[in-house]
Amino acid sequence: MAEAFYRVKEGEFVRQLETTTITKVIAQESIDEPLKFVVVAINSATKMAYAMRHGRVDELRTWRLDNLARFLKKHAVASFETQFQR
């Protein structure tokens, strides 16, 4: 799994997606907000993970799954994994 985990703003997250080094994108259900998801991109070559945070505060950004899918499709992500809290 990832050795380093970074919280980045949307622009940096998109830049990481555009480098084509991202090997996996995961939508993880938020602990605090059921049916809202945090997005994480993983670069397996460098063992780094990037989670999108809000622009003004250092809190992870949450998405409805349909909006997240639309965002990822716009940035040429062909597939992503979804994980629900138990």
Side-chain angles (χ1 to χ4, degrees), residues 43-70:
N43 179 330
S44 60
T46 61
K47 297 187 178 178
M48 293 184 186
Y50 303 90
M52 191 184 310
R53 69 177 183 89
H54 288 284
R56 296 175 191 230
V57 293
D58 190 25
E59 295 176 5
L60 295 177
R61 182 173 174 181
T62 58
W63 303 74
R64 284 189 359 208
L65 199 53
D66 60 334
N67 290 334
L68 177 57
R70 190 175 302 112

Side-chain angles (χ1 to χ4, degrees), residues 11-80:
E12 176 62 14
F13 192 87
V14 169
R15 190 184 77 71
Q16 290 298 326
L17 291 176
E18 290 173 347
T19 65
T20 66
T21 59
I22 298 302
T23 55
K24 188 175 199 177
V25 177
I26 301 169
Q28 173 68 51
E29 186 176 24
S30 169
I31 295 169
D32 301 324
E33 298 179 77
L35 297 179
K36 294 273 190 133
F37 294 82
V38 173
V39 62
V40 178
I42 298 173
N43 179 330
S44 60
T46 61
K47 297 187 178 178
M48 293 184 186
Y50 303 90
M52 191 184 310
R53 69 177 183 89
H54 288 284
R56 296 175 191 230
V57 293
D58 190 25
E59 295 176 5
L60 295 177
R61 182 173 174 181
T62 58
W63 303 74
R64 284 189 359 208
L65 199 53
D66 60 334
N67 290 334
L68 177 57
R70 190 175 302 112
F71 171 82
L72 293 173
K73 186 175 182 180
K74 175 182 169 186
H75 294 289
V77 174
S79 65
F80 63 95

